[in-house]
Amino acid sequence: MLVLVAPGQGAQTPGFLTPWLEIPGVRGALEAWSDAVQLDLVRYGTEGDAEEIRDTAVAQPLLVAAGLASAYMLFDDPAELPRKVGAIAGHSVGELTAAALAGVLPDEETVRLVRARGLAMAEAAAITETGMSALLGGDPEVSVAHLEKLGLTPANINGAGQIVAAGTMEQLAALNEDKPEGVRKVVPLKVAGAFHTHHMGPAVEKLAEAAKELVPGDPRLTYVSNKDGKAVATGTEVLERLVGQVANPVRWDLCMETFKELGVTALIEVCPGGTLTGLAKRALPGVKTLALKTPDDLDAARELIAEHA
């Protein structure tokens, strides 16, 4: 059984879209989505420096566009995707990529919604100076209790021994000085705010307003939600969860538990892949994994699809 996953913010790197533009159809799709959101995704994905593409309002539509474009390259006909992929999920903003690929929203509406999401989260992040740091190692229960003592939120519980803490810069500085027992290292992340915490409350309201006019379809394959790792069957509930998830923790650990229960045998991470396949290698032993980083990975990915679809 094949699972398709989409990465979240922080996966982008300068120039990561450059090789994909050599594939017929990719530039045209990116330009159409750029027009839809009034943002030059081609330029940001090829020429934007690290600071430019770190901007939440840019990074989020860029990641979703890259994920969609690369996923469609896996199949001769996009209609094959729901027939050959057993389950789909995305990490944080990657949930919107997954929703589009599952048929919940058309691509253009998805890109518009993610642009609104990025702008709203950037505005919320500007209210208070906040950030996120990854904890490497340690016992999850011990770490979560320690974070709560410092006033921090375990914003991403990623499994495979990784938790991401979020809060004010003062709280994160205190964490750096006072790590939970067993944690080897605290790594600051290149994000602009404390995503998936109460600091994003204002963004939820704006995103709900942007989503109000959308008419979602039901997922055409098993869609696994960050909220609790549960499969969600209706488009209405997917959209409600996408809005609320902005201010709630990402439970990627529970998503991977669901993949295991579904009988996953292979996992492909769409562009810019790497983060989620790394987690899967540690949490899902025996599952074949592949990260789409450049078009050079497409042949191996298609072989994996042929074996596990």
Side-chain angles (χ1 to χ4, degrees):
M1 199 276 281
L2 174 69
V3 170
L4 196 65
V5 297
Q9 202 163 335
Q12 72 278 10
T13 55
F16 78 100
L17 274 183
T18 300
W20 292 94
L21 297 182
E22 298 174 14
I23 301 177
V26 170
R27 181 182 287 273
L30 290 169
E31 288 176 345
W33 296 331
S34 295
D35 289 342
V37 296
Q38 298 298 296
L39 190 72
D40 192 344
L41 298 170
V42 173
R43 189 191 77 75
Y44 281 113
T46 57
E47 301 173 17
D49 61 27
E51 193 60 31
E52 279 186 295
I53 63 174
R54 178 177 176 267
D55 179 351
T56 303
V58 172
Q60 294 194 10
L62 185 61
L63 284 164
V64 171
L68 294 175
S70 62
Y72 292 136
M73 294 301 107
L74 292 169
F75 305 93
D76 293 330
D77 179 353
E80 293 179 50
L81 192 153
R83 296 199 298 268
K84 294 189 173 181
V85 175
I88 194 163
H91 189 286
S92 187
V93 72
E95 285 206 290
L96 281 96
T97 312
L101 294 173
V104 175
L105 293 172
D107 293 346
E108 191 168 299
E109 285 187 7
T110 302
V111 176
R112 285 200 183 102
L113 184 62
V114 76
R115 173 63 166 160
R117 182 186 194 270
L119 287 167
M121 291 176 74
E123 287 177 16
I127 296 170
T128 306
E129 192 177 2
T130 58
M132 304 175 82
S133 294
L135 309 184
L136 305 184
D139 179 88
E141 289 187 15
V142 172
S143 292
V144 167
H146 190 84
L147 294 179
E148 290 172 349
K149 184 183 75 175
L150 295 175
L152 289 158
T153 300
N156 301 164
I157 302 180
N158 287 330
Q162 189 191 96
I163 292 176
V164 175
T168 66
M169 300 311 288
E170 291 81 4
Q171 290 167 335
L172 291 170
L175 172 65
N176 207 46
E177 295 299 318
D178 181 19
K179 296 190 289 290
E181 183 181 352
V183 169
R184 301 189 309 275
K185 195 174 183 182
V186 176
V187 182
L189 300 183
K190 295 180 180 178
V191 295
F195 305 144
H196 301 291
T197 72
H198 66 90
H199 293 285
M200 291 294 111
V204 173
E205 296 175 18
K206 292 195 174 182
L207 192 59
E209 190 64 30
K212 196 179 290 183
E213 302 302 318
L214 300 178
V215 182
D218 294 339
R220 295 196 292 261
L221 68 160
T222 301
Y223 176 95
V224 180
S225 167
N226 282 181
K227 181 177 181 178
D228 50 16
K230 302 288 188 187
V232 181
T234 71
T236 300
E237 186 176 356
V238 170
L239 189 57
E240 287 174 356
R241 285 175 173 239
L242 288 173
V243 170
Q245 198 59 30
V246 169
N248 286 287
V250 171
R251 294 302 306 266
W252 191 251
D253 59 332
L254 299 180
C255 290
M256 290 195 292
E257 284 297 318
T258 297
F259 300 160
K260 194 184 299 183
E261 290 167 9
L262 291 170
V264 60
T265 56
L267 179 146
I268 295 174
E269 182 180 3
V270 299
C271 177
T275 302
L276 302 181
T277 46
L279 292 170
K281 284 175 183 176
R282 297 192 291 278
L284 300 171
V287 173
K288 291 188 176 180
T289 62
L290 189 144
L292 280 181
K293 297 182 179 180
T294 74
D296 292 341
D297 299 312
L298 284 171
D299 286 344
R302 289 170 183 146
E303 288 177 14
L304 204 62
I305 291 169
E307 291 171 15
H308 295 267

